[in-house]
Amino acid sequence: MYANRTGVLAAAVLWAAAATLVAGCGGDSSRTSAASSPKAAGCPAALVRAKEAVGRAERTGLSWDGPTTGPRAVPDKTIVYVAQTMTNPGVAGVAKGVREAAAAIGWQVRVIDGDGTPAGIQAAFSQAVTLKPSGIVIGGFDPLLTAQQTARAAAAGIALIGWHAVDSPGPSTNPRLFTNITTQVEEVARVSADWVIARSGGDAGVVLFTDDSIPFARNKSDLIKRQLATCPGVTLLATENVPIPDASQRTPREVSSLMSRFRGRWTHSVAINDLYFADAAPALQAAGRPGEGPPFNIGAGDGDPSAFQRINSRRFQAATVPEPLAQQGWQIVDELNRAFAGGPASGYVAPAHVVTAENSGGATSWDPRGYQEAYRSIWQG
């Protein structure tokens, strides 16, 4: 805050602060509708903006807006997908998409599981380099963790593609990647926080679940915090740092502790990955919390089938901002094909999309419409 320059200005600032404080208090923390009155909302302007942003992100049936031109399929290529851990539904979902796309383009693909540990990931990457493939996919981990192996791959002329490997989509020079595939993390973080603001009417007590061991996830959680802070009526109660490989064991204990600490104050949750809510559900159910909430839970990433099932059945998850996992698997193969053909990356970034029971149509995944047909057409020339 800047210092006040006059007594009049100081009085005005104090009056505005008092008005904001009053506006952010007195709401029902367990409300189940975002339609609160302007007086109850802790952030009228932010609330209007959040509702508009969420409304745009919830639209369905949009046409494919990705690439429709590119090089024909380069034949006889082999690729290796090095997975951070195949217990991460997002990593596994992309691997499935890579397999499907490799079959469509006529390549061989192998998946090696890093088991979620630094030693395991390094060993998996070393094995990948030893196989001398045409390309390697960095599936959901920081390439700096495998700096030696990455350097060996580059020296051997192996093309490297990242999925959630660095913070931003597109080519990377440090580490050197032909491209990194992800939704725009700023958009995903912003709309997930906006969903909480809109869903709560600007009056929420929030718990954030993250994994600080993954730079991408840590950056996402920081962005979520920043967006939540745009609404003074939203209180961040706690940030729970639970490594994804440990989530199944630790999350139930953390949830039980959080319920004891915050009770009815805990109205909403945001997680950087939907899998936290799969592990939270038994603890919430055992505590007698209703499946439809509170807490109302949104996953800021991945959108695996189990998340859709929880959302569609209204059982301990209300929304997700899914990655189009299958489409991104196909995009990985397309980007590798562009690298093999000596061309630039496509530059495509899938838009952020919010899925709820109201707009899912009962589906168990979300991908842009028409992507397979578009990629097949490109590869066939």
Side-chain angles (χ1 to χ4, degrees):
M1 298 293 293
Y2 293 101
N4 297 330
R5 296 179 182 275
T6 67
V8 173
L9 180 58
V13 170
L14 289 172
W15 183 90
T20 299
L21 181 61
V22 170
C25 299
D28 179 4
S29 63
S30 63
R31 67 166 53 97
T32 59
S33 171
S36 61
S37 67
K39 289 184 178 180
C43 49
L47 179 57
V48 170
R49 175 196 48 74
K51 287 182 176 181
E52 292 175 349
V54 172
R56 289 191 300 270
E58 288 179 339
R59 291 180 298 175
T60 60
L62 302 179
S63 300
W64 170 246
D65 63 346
T68 56
T69 61
R72 289 173 57 90
V74 178
D76 303 323
K77 295 299 181 180
T78 60
I79 60 176
V80 176
Y81 182 95
V82 180
Q84 181 245 355
T85 171
M86 290 294 281
T87 63
N88 181 328
V91 172
V94 173
K96 182 175 182 291
V98 168
R99 286 190 175 109
E100 292 173 349
I105 203 171
W107 296 349
Q108 298 296 314
V109 62
R110 179 169 176 177
V111 176
I112 304 177
D113 193 343
D115 295 323
T117 67
I121 293 168
Q122 290 166 359
F125 207 122
S126 292
Q127 183 181 356
V129 175
T130 301
L131 293 171
K132 298 180 180 179
S134 309
I136 293 176
V137 183
I138 297 169
F141 60 89
D142 184 357
L144 296 178
L145 180 66
T146 56
Q148 293 182 353
Q149 292 85 353
T150 302
R152 285 172 51 204
I158 299 171
L160 296 177
I161 298 278
W163 180 80
H164 285 207
V166 295
D167 290 345
S168 301
S172 171
T173 56
N174 185 26
R176 185 169 296 279
L177 304 174
F178 179 75
T179 194
N180 180 60
I181 296 171
T182 176
T183 48
Q184 190 68 253
V185 65
E186 291 85 0
E187 290 185 14
V188 173
R190 186 182 305 118
V191 78
S192 61
D194 280 342
W195 183 89
V196 170
I197 295 169
R199 182 67 177 74
S200 69
D203 182 8
V206 183
V207 172
L208 175 61
F209 294 91
T210 189
D211 180 352
D212 282 347
S213 70
I214 303 173
F216 182 91
R218 184 172 60 247
N219 180 50
K220 184 190 293 185
S221 62
D222 288 343
L223 291 167
I224 291 169
K225 292 177 188 178
R226 191 178 307 164
Q227 189 69 6
L228 290 172
T230 64
C231 179
V234 172
T235 300
L236 182 62
L237 300 174
T239 299
E240 296 299 311
N241 176 28
V242 180
I244 286 175
D246 301 335
S248 61
Q249 293 183 345
R250 285 188 49 185
T251 303
R253 296 197 303 267
E254 298 294 343
V255 168
S256 296
S257 175
L258 289 164
M259 285 189 293
S260 296
R261 289 168 58 193
F262 299 116
R263 302 185 182 277
R265 294 171 58 204
W266 179 12
T267 65
H268 293 74
S269 311
V270 187
I272 55 93
N273 189 302
D274 290 305
L275 65 81
Y276 290 101
F277 299 130
D279 300 319
L284 292 170
Q285 185 173 18
R289 290 295 182 99
E292 65 272 18
F296 304 101
N297 301 321
I298 182 170
D302 284 4
D304 65 279
S306 68
F308 277 76
Q309 290 164 5
R310 289 189 297 275
I311 291 167
N312 291 336
S313 61
R314 292 177 168 85
R315 297 292 292 170
F316 304 107
Q317 186 167 350
T320 184
V321 187
E323 296 285 329
L325 300 176
Q327 178 271 317
Q328 289 177 336
W330 282 64
Q331 184 179 352
I332 285 170
V333 170
D334 183 65
E335 301 291 1
L336 282 168
N337 191 59
R338 293 169 189 267
F340 300 150
S346 74
Y348 178 65
V349 180
H353 177 63
V354 174
V355 171
T356 65
E358 288 71 30
N359 73 349
S360 73
T364 57
S365 64
W366 176 76
D367 293 286
R369 296 173 62 183
Y371 73 93
Q372 290 191 14
E373 294 83 356
Y375 285 127
R376 288 180 189 273
S377 177
I378 291 170
W379 301 336
Q380 291 169 2

